[in-house]
Amino acid sequence: MRISLLGLVRVGYVLGAALLMTTVLPRLGVPGRLVPDLVLIGVVSSAVLRGPVHGALLGLAAGWVLEIVPPVGAPLGLAALTLMLAGAAAGSLRRTSSRSFVRPLAALALAAVVVLGGRAGSAVVAEGSVDLAGILATLTATLAAGLLLLPVLVAVDRALVRRRLG
Amino acid sequence: MSHHAKRRLLALLVVATLAVLVADLAGHPAVDAIRSASGTVVGPVQRVLSGAPPGRVAELAAENARLRAEADRLSREVQALSQVRDLVADGAVTGRSVVIGQVVASEASALGGRSLTLDVGSNDGVAVDSTVVGSAGLVGRVVAVAPWTSDVQLLGAAQSVVAVRVGDRGLLGTVSPIPAGGGADDDGQLSLALAQPGSPAVGDLVTTLGSVGGRPYAAGVTVGRVVSVEPQPGRTTVTARVAPAVDREGLDVVAVLVPAARDEPRPVVEEPVGAPGGEPAGEPAGQRGGDVVGAG
């Protein structure tokens, strides 16, 4: 497996996004429910160009990064698995011919629903209740951030592939 | 990487993730190692990113917390001291040997009423059936003693009966909890049953009669005041309601009266020679000498 610039960009993005989500944004006073899932946006931007298997693999790896960055998830591994499913779901919307911007956003919406659905499900199992308003707020924040970030990430990905750096 | 290799890698990683998930749910110690390792590695980065306070600020924050804890402790001590002063200023404690104790636990008894635990015990001289008083009056009696703690049955607990004197005339009676179904239990009021004919007035002071050796109840400790008298036509004795003097919910610092048994005979009071209106000497002592004793 060769190391490519695109791979390094991916690793850097996921690490930076994980730290931003867990440390910087809460420190800046962003309420927890309004922190967008930046890692998920990165996974979707790559998955929607390459398909479900790649999306699942990337989602699992990114999910593990998110788990390992403190606060460590509990139970360890659950978030990685849901992010894997979300990556696979986003990858299933791939169309190599399509350059539409709506498609990545739809993939992000689908993936976010998968992640937040998993979170709501585990909350129901663990606590018997779920903060639906908080989950909808996170969904909205993630989609809003995706509206800004997804075109940039997709464009960077395509540019790197075109220059044979991917 | 080929498509097949990717699938194989994905399956492998999923299995590994599931293994970690199950291990964490089962409480395997290796998962805790992962947690602490991640904190060790990523934690410093997060500290820098979050702008953790530099040395001087952290030092001042720590000192601030320490001083606040100290201030809390001192204000607590001042409060306890003022309660001790109230206790000592009250008549119930003067002239008696007491041990000052603090309530450290309180429990609603299954039989009704409440019991307390004090932070004084047999090593402090507390014995079973010692009287416990607060600054306002009688709290209860010690029912069990451990080396450093003792359990107190509160006034008004089930099956607690206190022999009392009522009012200026010193009518004899007993104070007990209001029996179940005996009317509304207003603010923890107690039932007073007179043991002799006579009628108490509302507002009469109720004090303990006292027992032999001051156990379980010392004499003359305020129990409360009569708040209502129940008319009972056709009966010679009267029952009444008594509001206890102490707030049994908010007890903190209390005094345990250490019982001191009398070990020498009480002297016979003799009429001074040449006293005016002389009655035969010794007769008053025969009529009035010696305390009236009553069991608690």
Side-chain angles (χ1 to χ4, degrees):
Chain A
M1 191 173 167
R2 71 200 166 85
I3 295 169
S4 68
L5 182 60
L6 183 59
L8 290 179
V9 167
R10 274 185 201 140
V11 171
Y13 175 84
V14 169
L15 277 176
L19 286 173
L20 211 60
M21 280 169 65
T22 55
T23 305
V24 179
L25 290 182
R27 181 74 186 178
L28 293 178
V30 180
R33 50 168 58 180
L34 286 183
V35 172
D37 198 337
L38 299 173
V39 172
L40 181 69
I41 294 172
V43 170
V44 166
S45 77
S46 187
V48 80
L49 295 177
R50 292 180 181 81
V53 176
H54 176 89
L57 210 54
L58 194 61
L60 191 63
W64 265 109
V65 171
L66 203 53
E67 291 269 43
I68 291 297
V69 169
V72 177
L76 193 61
L78 190 64
L81 287 177
T82 48
L83 207 57
M84 178 196 79
L85 290 181
S92 68
L93 288 186
R94 170 179 68 148
R95 286 285 181 286
T96 36
S97 57
S98 167
R99 294 187 69 93
S100 154
F101 169 61
V102 180
R103 190 166 286 277
L105 205 61
L108 177 63
L110 181 64
V113 166
V114 169
V115 167
L116 294 172
R119 202 177 296 169
S122 61
V124 165
V125 169
E127 297 161 24
S129 69
V130 58
D131 176 17
L132 204 61
I135 283 188
L136 286 178
T138 310
L139 182 66
T140 313
T142 303
L143 288 180
L147 208 61
L148 297 173
L149 272 177
L150 268 182
V152 178
L153 291 174
V154 170
V156 166
D157 198 323
R158 285 209 167 110
L160 287 175
V161 170
R162 203 160 48 236
R163 289 173 196 163
R164 301 181 180 280
L165 293 170
Chain B
M1 200 188 293
S2 78
H3 197 67
H4 272 292
K6 267 190 176 179
R7 272 175 190 272
R8 264 207 304 278
L9 181 63
L10 181 60
L12 202 70
L13 288 178
V14 168
V15 169
T17 305
L18 281 173
V20 172
L21 184 63
V22 170
D24 192 15
L25 288 175
H28 196 275
V31 180
D32 289 335
I34 296 179
R35 288 206 164 87
S36 73
S38 91
T40 315
V41 175
V42 191
V45 181
Q46 288 181 311
R47 266 175 65 92
V48 171
L49 284 177
S50 70
R56 181 78 184 135
V57 178
E59 205 175 285
L60 287 176
E63 192 178 351
N64 204 353
R66 197 172 51 74
L67 290 176
R68 189 161 297 150
E70 180 80 1
D72 284 350
R73 193 182 62 79
L74 286 178
S75 78
R76 172 105 192 87
E77 253 171 35
V78 165
Q79 196 192 344
L81 265 180
S82 81
Q83 291 187 49
V84 170
R85 200 176 302 129
D86 285 352
L87 259 178
V88 173
D90 180 63
V93 172
T94 46
R96 293 182 166 116
S97 11
V98 299
V99 178
I100 302 289
Q102 202 160 11
V103 175
V104 292
S106 148
E107 190 186 44
S109 162
L111 293 171
R114 293 164 70 80
S115 48
L116 300 176
T117 302
L118 305 181
D119 62 350
V120 288
S122 60
N123 289 343
D124 305 295
V126 176
V128 171
D129 282 344
S130 305
T131 311
V132 182
V133 299
S135 57
L138 185 66
V139 170
R141 68 188 178 97
V142 174
V143 290
V145 173
W148 295 109
T149 60
S150 49
D151 289 353
V152 176
Q153 182 194 53
L154 276 182
L155 182 64
Q159 292 152 12
S160 75
V161 180
V162 187
V164 293
R165 283 185 183 280
V166 184
D168 295 336
R169 292 170 58 201
L171 298 169
L172 294 175
T174 56
V175 163
S176 53
I178 294 170
D185 186 6
D186 308 312
D187 307 326
Q189 286 180 4
L190 305 169
S191 165
L192 166 68
L194 283 190
Q196 63 189 70
S199 181
V202 170
D204 272 357
L205 189 66
V206 180
T207 57
T208 53
L209 173 63
S211 320
V212 181
R215 300 170 69 160
Y217 294 110
V221 180
T222 305
V223 175
R225 285 189 182 275
V226 175
V227 288
S228 66
V229 179
E230 291 162 13
Q232 289 197 328
R235 289 182 60 174
T236 51
T237 58
V238 169
T239 60
R241 292 287 169 93
V242 174
V246 294
D247 170 21
R248 285 168 295 175
E249 300 300 320
L251 286 170
D252 190 7
V253 174
V254 295
V256 182
L257 308 184
V258 178
R262 211 152 46 86
D263 54 2
E264 49 187 55
R266 197 161 286 176
V268 175
V269 179
E270 289 179 17
E271 196 75 11
V273 181
E279 285 177 41
E283 201 176 327
Q287 284 174 350
R288 302 171 56 213
D291 286 355
V292 179
V293 291

